[in-house]
Amino acid sequence: MSLAPYYVLWAVIFYTFVLLSGVVAWLVVPEAIIRLARRMWLGDLVVVWLAYAAAYHLFYLQAYRAALGQPYALWALCAFLALYWLLRRVSLPPRGPEALFALAVIAWALVIAAGFRYIDETAADATLLRERPQAVLSSTAVELSPLRRGLLFSRLDADTRASTARVLASLEGGDTPDPALLSAFRVQGLQTLLAHYERDLARLRTYQVLQIGLLAVMLLLWGFGRMPEGGAP
């Protein structure tokens, strides 16, 4: 089960916007912001991050499903969010915030692990396309995942995207693919696609380091800071 960490950058931007909005609101109506903060638990902040990750994958669900199959990790994440919401709504014992925070941290760690699995799968597809292009770009191709995953790259230029889509459609069509089309892609499009693989792998690894750093910050807030609702950690 894997999850693409592309959402990390947008989640950071979203969190930054919310933080700045909260600071401005605190300057205007500090009492309301303090009351809201006291009603929140630290686990809620983690869950907002995970909810953003789930929303991102649900928005691109059709593309990810076509490329990677059933998104079991996404369904598990959605199930966790529903469970957290239900537990948050019921009456919990005094240590309830700690238990829910621990549950949220475990879920976030599993999401990070699913992100590393996605990176490993992407690296494997890049290696296959680089070292065994005959397994992908031949009339008897049996491994089409590198082409399907390549179409997920948001920064893929229009020409390479169009040529990759034509080659993929030709290989999936059932008829004998056009050898000229495959040869032209091998000469013109393959290196460009591989370059995008390398760039995206570098981006995804950076996002994972950032995400691990944010998780560490949350743990430090829990261990040395104060609860948002004003209780002791």
Side-chain angles (χ1 to χ4, degrees), residues 94-113:
R95 302 297 292 181
E98 288 86 344
L100 285 186
F101 176 74
L103 186 63
V105 166
I106 292 172
W108 196 358
L110 292 176
V111 166
I112 293 174

Side-chain angles (χ1 to χ4, degrees), residues 152-177:
L152 296 177
F153 297 157
S154 60
R155 300 184 182 182
L156 193 65
D157 59 276
D159 291 340
T160 304
R161 183 179 300 278
S163 61
T164 302
R166 285 197 300 270
V167 169
L168 182 60
S170 177
L171 293 171
E172 291 178 330
D175 299 329
T176 302

